[in-house]
Amino acid sequence: MRRVIVIGGGAAGMAAAIAAAEEGCPVLLLEKNEKLGKKLFITGKGRCNLTNDCDVQTLLQNVCTNRKFLYSAFGACSSADVMDFFEREGLSLKTERGGRVFPSSDHSSDVIRTLERKLASLGVQVRLHTEAAGVGASDGRVTGVVVKGEGLLEADAVVIATGGCSYPQTGSTGDGYRFAKEWGHAVAKPLPSLVPLTAEEAWVKELMGLSLRNVSVRIGEREEHGTGIRGKDWYQGFGEMLFTHFGVSGPLMLSASSFLSGRIPQEGLRLLIDLKPALSEEQLDARLLRDFGENKNRMFKNSLDSLLHAKLIPVMVRLSGIRPDTPVNSVTRQEREQLSKLLKGLPLTLTGTRGFQEAIITKGGVDIKGIRPKDMGSKYVEGLYFAGEVLDVDALTGGFNLQIAWATGRAAGKGAAG
């Protein structure tokens, strides 16, 4: 019977410890924080979107990096399996728009309590305030975990589930990358992902706090002259976004960051926001004509109330190039077409992403070429396993990243058990 040590008491670490203990192994779970699941506690704004109720193919389609690597893990631990586990353990679940699964209570603490009860029932030994300094190995085989201030705790198998670099205040400080490198694993550069984007234009500050629903966006290389996109789009999406004092955020922009992080050139990228995706330019022009006809005695700046949010109107009036005090019955056809184009493609210049402090997940991590996909085991050191965000795999928002944590954690725990 193999003695297993799991480093990291987050979602992947707890899943690994449970899986190894279910195989009958004595398991020690090390966590440097004062409690388990510190990052889990704040996910989904404290509600914990713990998976997505969809088939394995859809799970894979929502993975941005190294999706093929996860075929085996998702096959053995699907979102249905995750939901079954929590419901068997007494946690009531609900499914919301887009397949997002939450605890019925809307409290992430209930997810953590469920996992803690399971760990206790399986006899997993949990040590809090315990920081790993490294993994011990000899002759190509794991010998245990070196704990700060204590020395080596012996083990036959070690699971590294230390997370990435996002939300460092929760303890995700990249320790696992260092442990992996010490034993020959390459690490893809960690980058903030599912993170707000920064913009060049000063007017975004005027719109701070404004949320836009049901808009569509395109992102790509900037045209040398003009406000359009050159060549193919880098990203397209539909949904909800939010203006901030530094740029843009919200689900749509966070998803975009998964494709853009580390790739935004010095000159920036062009973001085009279609504020009225349900209308063609012709339909929008007809709508403008109708609105102007109903407000024929008004000035242009006071004629867009039924079309746009009040906060957006001064900015759009300015960007349209139409004089604010122009009577609407004097707005020319050319000016109206210009306004339609702006409504169908409000341009912004994206200059970068915010940092790890605001990133939901980390892009990059331990190179999957050195890891067996079936059991998350190291190809270089016998008895060494990896799980969760420390790996170079990441996905879009909607519960997909936690699904990666549960599935890779389970695979690593079973692998570590032998």
Side-chain angles (χ1 to χ4, degrees):
M1 195 181 295
R2 294 171 91 177
R3 290 164 301 173
V4 178
I5 295 179
V6 179
I7 309 172
M14 287 190 277
I18 288 166
E22 282 177 339
E23 298 294 313
C25 293
V27 180
L28 172 62
L29 177 58
L30 306 180
E31 170 53 57
K32 66 180 178 181
N33 285 312
E34 74 286 357
K35 61 183 179 182
L36 296 176
K38 201 163 181 182
K39 185 177 174 187
L40 201 54
F41 185 71
I42 60 172
T43 58
K45 295 177 182 171
R47 296 175 63 219
C48 192
N49 178 193
L50 54 88
T51 188
N52 194 286
D53 187 7
C54 63
D55 59 26
V56 170
Q57 202 53 45
T58 306
L59 288 177
L60 290 163
Q61 282 166 4
N62 281 274
V63 174
C64 302
T65 309
N66 295 320
R67 67 176 58 152
K68 285 183 181 174
F69 176 75
L70 293 168
Y71 274 27
S72 180
F74 281 171
C77 179
S78 66
S79 54
D81 295 324
V82 170
M83 291 163 72
D84 285 347
F85 166 83
F86 281 106
E87 286 174 330
R88 271 200 323 271
E89 296 302 319
L91 183 68
S92 172
L93 302 176
K94 62 179 178 179
T95 302
E96 296 186 0
R97 184 173 51 87
R100 291 168 163 82
V101 179
F102 295 88
S104 296
S105 65
D106 280 333
H107 294 308
S108 56
S109 54
D110 291 335
V111 176
I112 298 164
R113 264 194 293 274
T114 302
L115 293 164
E116 286 175 330
R117 277 198 308 270
K118 185 65 174 177
L119 290 165
S121 73
L122 290 167
V124 173
Q125 186 187 353
V126 177
R127 283 188 52 181
L128 304 174
H129 301 289
T130 306
E131 188 170 351
V135 175
S138 178
D139 298 323
R141 186 170 189 85
V142 156
T143 56
V145 174
V146 180
V147 172
K148 279 189 178 176
E150 280 187 58
L152 185 73
L153 299 180
E154 292 186 356
D156 303 301
V158 171
V159 179
I160 296 175
T162 49
C165 297
S166 57
Y167 293 142
Q169 66 272 26
T170 64
S172 301
T173 50
D175 297 342
Y177 305 143
R178 181 167 49 82
F179 302 160
K181 282 178 180 174
E182 283 170 1
W183 297 110
H185 284 272
V187 174
K189 183 183 177 181
L191 296 163
S193 191
L194 295 185
V195 63
L197 298 162
T198 55
E200 185 176 274
E201 286 77 5
W203 54 258
V204 294
K205 290 180 183 171
E206 297 174 51
L207 303 180
M208 184 173 69
L210 174 63
S211 179
L212 299 178
R213 293 175 185 272
N214 302 320
V215 295
S216 70
V217 300
R218 295 170 52 211
I219 299 172
E221 291 179 30
R222 296 169 65 185
E223 280 180 346
E224 277 184 54
H225 308 290
T227 57
I229 287 172
R230 184 181 67 194
K232 283 186 178 177
D233 292 351
W234 287 24
Y235 176 80
Q236 287 184 357
F238 176 86
E240 185 179 344
M241 62 173 286
L242 173 74
F243 287 102
T244 66
H245 67 284
F246 53 76
V248 284
S249 187
L252 196 48
M253 293 297 101
L254 296 181
S255 291
S257 75
S258 297
F259 299 94
L260 307 180
S261 194
R263 297 180 64 204
I264 299 177
Q266 201 169 355
E267 66 274 15
L269 289 174
R270 173 72 68 225
L271 163 65
L272 294 176
I273 307 166
D274 186 345
L275 297 166
K276 300 292 171 185
L279 302 176
S280 67
E281 272 192 40
E282 292 75 21
Q283 289 169 323
L284 189 53
D285 188 50
R287 166 75 189 270
L288 287 170
L289 266 175
R290 191 174 73 244
D291 285 0
F292 287 177
E294 289 168 3
N295 297 288
K296 60 180 71 170
N297 297 320
R298 284 194 183 186
M299 289 186 286
F300 171 60
K301 66 180 179 182
N302 299 324
S303 66
L304 300 173
D305 303 36
S306 66
L307 196 65
L308 296 171
H309 188 283
K311 214 169 186 178
L312 193 52
I313 291 171
V315 172
M316 294 299 285
V317 167
R318 226 166 42 241
L319 294 176
S320 73
I322 303 169
R323 282 181 54 185
D325 55 358
T326 303
V328 288
N329 56 8
S330 298
V331 173
T332 67
R333 181 180 175 178
Q334 190 180 357
E335 287 173 328
R336 214 175 55 244
E337 285 175 356
Q338 203 173 306
L339 178 61
S340 288
K341 279 190 168 59
L342 184 64
L343 289 162
K344 295 292 289 177
L346 174 60
L348 257 180
T349 308
L350 300 176
T351 53
T353 68
R354 299 288 274 184
F356 282 115
Q357 294 282 356
E358 296 175 51
I360 295 173
I361 59 153
T362 305
K363 195 177 190 69
V366 179
D367 191 336
I368 52 104
K369 290 192 187 79
I371 297 168
R372 297 186 299 268
K374 189 170 174 58
D375 65 357
M376 302 294 138
S378 167
K379 292 179 181 177
Y380 314 137
V381 181
E382 185 62 36
L384 183 61
Y385 299 82
F386 296 87
E389 202 177 331
V390 74
L391 293 162
D392 183 19
V393 285
D394 62 274
L396 299 176
T397 56
F400 301 105
N401 288 288
L402 269 178
Q403 177 61 35
I404 291 173
W406 309 127
T408 58
R410 184 154 189 78
K414 286 176 78 71

